[in-house]
């Protein structure tokens, strides 16, 4: 059966443009909120009492979440509208790992999560990749590992070179793991494993996979319920 899908394609593209515009428009006011908060925290303006400080922290956390979500939505629309542009350059895998750790330090400290690095002593090839995008993916995977780990847990981030000429970068946690029946769907837009209590948008993994596939790489999961999860990004060295 043949069906004319032009109308659907147009609708889909209108939706993508809409999401893109909204996310973009939201970024400015959220940034302004965060800037005012920073001023509020400045002792020169006057000290906050404990309760006010708690409230300010809550506003800050929620604004950061909003900013994250708008960033994720923008990333997604970039991929969907075919506007994803890679700016590849030669990069050392360890630099990407260090970036991801730095970006997640506060979150890890908050839940007392130990971040360990597994990196080979001998030389590992450099990557020719869009370092911003790949660092974003690693940051996202590490953030998930931390968010889905119990307090006082440990997570491992690392890289290795395979004999057939690939660099594999991985993030492992010892959290509750993911039921095998969801291993495919977690990479879909907005999908969240039913019953997931940690807050999130369900966009991180789908954008991550898009970014990795744009590099002709793969992003896969290996996870057992009750044992934890390992996400592996494989890129040509
Ligand atoms: P978000 O974390 O914002 O919901 P993601 O796309 O990063 O979105 O993840 C999709 C879903 O996959 C999550 O909602 C969660 O249910 C599950 N998930 C992702 N990473 C992990 C992990 N390391 N451990 C357990 N579950 C995970």
């Amino acid at each position: 059966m043949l069906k004319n899908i032009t109308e659907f394609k147009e609708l889909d593209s209108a939706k993508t443009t809409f999401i893109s515009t909204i996310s973009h428009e939201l970024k400015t006011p959220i940034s302004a909120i965060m800037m005012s908060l920073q001023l509020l925290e400045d002792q020169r303006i006057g000290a906050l009492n404990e309760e006010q400080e708690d409230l300010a922290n809550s506003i800050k956390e929620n604004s950061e979440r909003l900013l994250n979500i708008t960033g994720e939505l923008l990333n997604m629309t970039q991929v969907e509208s075919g506007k994803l542009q890679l700016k590849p350059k030669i990069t050392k895998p360890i630099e990407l790992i260090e970036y991801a750790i730095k970006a997640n330090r506060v979150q890890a400290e908050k839940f007392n999560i130990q971040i360990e690095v597994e990196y080979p002593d001998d030389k590992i090839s450099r990557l020719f990749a869009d370092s911003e995008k790949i660092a974003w993916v690693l940051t996202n995977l590490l953030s998930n590992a931390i968010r889905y780990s119990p307090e006082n847990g440990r997570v491992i981030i690392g890289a290795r070179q395979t004999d057939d000429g690939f660099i594999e970068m991985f993030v492992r946690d010892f959290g509750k793991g993911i039921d095998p029946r969801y291993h495919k769907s977690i990479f879909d837009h907005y999908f969240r494993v039913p019953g997931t209590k940690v807050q999130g948008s369900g966009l991180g993994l789908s954008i991550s996979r898009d970014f990795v596939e744009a590099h002709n790489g793969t992003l896969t999961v290996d996870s057992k319920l009750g044992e934890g999860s390992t996400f592996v990004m494989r890129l040509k060295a």
Side-chain angles (χ1 to χ4, degrees), residues 107-114 150-154:
Q107 181 89 344
E109 276 167 10
K110 189 168 158 194
F111 297 105
N112 196 27
I113 307 276
Q114 202 68 35
E151 264 183 60
N152 311 316
R154 64 188 259 260

Side-chain angles (χ1 to χ4, degrees), residues 175-228:
K176 68 178 190 160
I178 303 162
D179 191 319
R181 75 183 125 145
Y182 300 124
H183 285 189
K184 255 176 92 137
S185 356
I186 52 171
F187 294 99
D188 291 343
H189 288 159
Y190 306 111
F191 181 87
R192 310 200 70 216
V193 171
T196 301
K197 291 198 186 72
V198 176
Q199 274 168 333
S201 63
L203 282 174
L205 284 177
S206 59
I207 296 167
S208 297
R209 185 171 260 182
D210 286 339
F211 280 0
V212 178
E213 286 181 350
H215 285 83
N216 294 319
T218 57
L219 176 64
T220 51
V221 65
D222 179 16
S223 176
K224 276 207 187 87
L225 269 180
E227 289 183 17

Side-chain angles (χ1 to χ4, degrees), residues 139-154:
T139 304
N140 196 259
L141 294 177
L142 188 58
S143 158
N144 277 358
I146 294 167
R147 285 161 57 238
Y148 296 111
S149 282
E151 264 183 60
N152 311 316
R154 64 188 259 260

Side-chain angles (χ1 to χ4, degrees), residues 84-119:
L84 184 68
Q85 273 187 359
L86 296 183
K87 297 186 203 105
K89 58 175 200 216
I90 296 171
T91 317
K92 285 187 191 156
I94 191 69
E95 283 170 8
L96 304 173
I97 290 175
E98 279 165 358
Y99 178 93
I101 294 176
K102 210 169 150 201
N104 278 292
R105 186 151 286 153
V106 175
Q107 181 89 344
E109 276 167 10
K110 189 168 158 194
F111 297 105
N112 196 27
I113 307 276
Q114 202 68 35
I115 302 176
E116 292 168 23
V117 179
E118 262 179 38
Y119 205 75

